[in-house]
Amino acid sequence: ERFSTALLHAPQGLTAKRLLLVNIGSEPLTRSQLVKLFEKAAQHTIQCGAKSAALALDDIQRQADISRVWLVREAVRTLAAQHYRFDAYKSKKAESALKKWQLLSSDSNPKLKQALAEGIAIGAGQSLARDLGNQPPNVCHPLWLAEQAKALAHHYSKLKVSIISAKQAEKM
């Protein structure tokens, strides 16, 4: 069955302690199926308590007619989304055992580094948006959101922020 998994312990010939195999089938993979594949891989690494993980992109790309750049960007974005946890108000923060993901590829295209950076940036942006959405209403009010936007603009020089009043918003 497509996306069924098998976890091999102490695979022969590898230094890895475990090897997760995911059946990707013989039919070409769509973009949404690739995202599902990345989600499944991330979920398994979280569940088994892995400290590091690697994703072999060459085999995946052979099964999909999709650019390696898209594959890297979406893999990184999806992995970040799967590892997201909102624990700002918990006394005991959720600590993931996983400290390192590796994307394995035989492709040396310099655009892959840019795709990696984009995937990280998109993942961070999605996490920030989720953090804002998970704040309680007594914290996440318009003034607080304006302060968060100003802090982002201070951190990212290319980001310009304009804060408008309630009256200005009504006129829009």
Side-chain angles (χ1 to χ4, degrees):
E1 181 181 335
R2 188 171 243 184
F3 301 118
S4 59
T5 61
L7 186 62
L8 306 178
H9 294 273
Q12 194 172 27
L14 295 177
T15 57
K17 293 178 184 174
R18 294 174 290 242
L19 177 64
L20 176 67
L21 301 174
V22 182
N23 179 4
I24 58 175
S26 58
E27 297 296 316
L29 292 165
T30 65
R31 290 175 186 241
S32 63
Q33 288 172 326
L34 284 165
V35 169
K36 182 178 177 180
L37 172 68
F38 300 144
E39 288 171 349
K40 195 137 189 128
Q43 290 163 1
H44 273 278
T45 59
I46 293 167
Q47 289 169 356
C48 74
K51 293 179 184 165
S52 65
L55 190 60
L57 298 178
D58 291 348
D59 292 334
I60 295 169
Q61 190 179 25
R62 278 193 276 281
Q63 205 58 19
D65 187 24
I66 292 173
S67 77
R68 184 75 50 109
V69 169
W70 183 92
L71 204 60
V72 167
R73 184 178 54 245
E74 286 305 301
V76 172
R77 182 198 64 76
T78 304
L79 296 172
Q82 290 300 307
H83 288 276
Y84 173 82
R85 300 289 176 269
F86 183 75
D87 57 9
Y89 300 104
K90 293 183 178 178
S91 57
K92 187 176 179 185
K93 307 290 185 202
E95 185 72 27
S96 173
L98 188 69
K99 302 296 179 205
K100 179 177 163 182
W101 265 105
Q102 289 181 301
L103 300 179
L104 307 176
S105 173
S106 61
D107 193 339
S108 60
N109 183 344
K111 291 182 180 181
L112 296 181
K113 285 186 180 181
Q114 177 66 27
L116 178 68
E118 289 171 3
I120 291 169
I122 293 167
Q126 287 176 322
S127 292
L128 174 62
R130 291 171 83 178
D131 281 348
L132 294 174
N134 284 323
Q135 295 293 334
N138 64 322
V139 171
C140 189
H141 49 76
L143 181 59
W144 184 82
L145 284 172
E147 291 169 0
Q148 301 307 303
K150 286 178 186 176
L152 276 174
H154 182 72
H155 191 314
Y156 298 101
S157 61
K158 291 184 179 183
L159 179 63
K160 304 296 179 210
V161 173
S162 297
I163 309 298
I164 61 173
S165 68
K167 286 183 182 178
Q168 289 171 316
E170 288 175 8
K171 290 180 182 179
M172 295 178 108

